[in-house]
Amino acid sequence: SSDGSGERFHEENAHFMSNLDNIKRLVQSEVRTELLNSVSVATKDVHAYPPVKTLPEIEKLRILVTGGAGFVGSHLVDRLMMAGHQVIVVDNMFTGRQKNV
């Protein structure tokens, strides 16, 4: 048309489509963020540790466990820590395993 209304329509349509694309990207980004947050929350629950007792400072002991990376020592360390004590482990790793610490 000679009055430019067709050209104006195409410009407005292009502007509208550009805004629509921006909104679509924003929504996709928000959905992606929500999904990542829900996955990280679920992952945190998988690695939950047992409850640890909180002792008053006067009752809390600092305990040194030699051989704490071995089978028996690592279980002793777990029990002492769950009881609320501070535990220090020393092991030469001759038979102990780092995964036990």
Side-chain angles (χ1 to χ4, degrees), residues 62-70 72-78 80-81 86-93 96-98 100-101:
R62 184 179 298 158
I63 302 168
L64 173 67
V65 177
T66 59
V72 174
S74 65
H75 285 84
L76 174 63
V77 168
D78 289 344
L80 291 169
M81 290 179 68
Q86 181 182 5
V87 181
I88 301 166
V89 175
V90 175
D91 198 301
N92 64 4
M93 306 302 273
R97 303 283 179 257
Q98 188 171 359
N100 292 339
V101 179

Side-chain angles (χ1 to χ4, degrees), residues 23-86:
I23 291 169
K24 188 165 73 171
R25 277 193 291 275
L26 180 64
V27 169
Q28 287 171 341
S29 174
E30 291 294 323
V31 168
R32 189 177 304 115
T33 301
E34 280 298 315
L35 285 173
L36 289 174
N37 287 339
S38 68
V39 168
S40 66
V41 167
T43 305
K44 289 177 188 172
D45 294 339
V46 171
H47 301 292
Y49 295 102
V52 176
K53 187 175 178 182
T54 303
L55 293 175
E57 286 299 317
I58 193 89
E59 294 179 25
K60 190 183 294 187
L61 300 175
R62 184 179 298 158
I63 302 168
L64 173 67
V65 177
T66 59
F71 180 78
V72 174
S74 65
H75 285 84
L76 174 63
V77 168
D78 289 344
R79 294 292 298 265
L80 291 169
M81 290 179 68
M82 287 191 303
H85 300 292
Q86 181 182 5

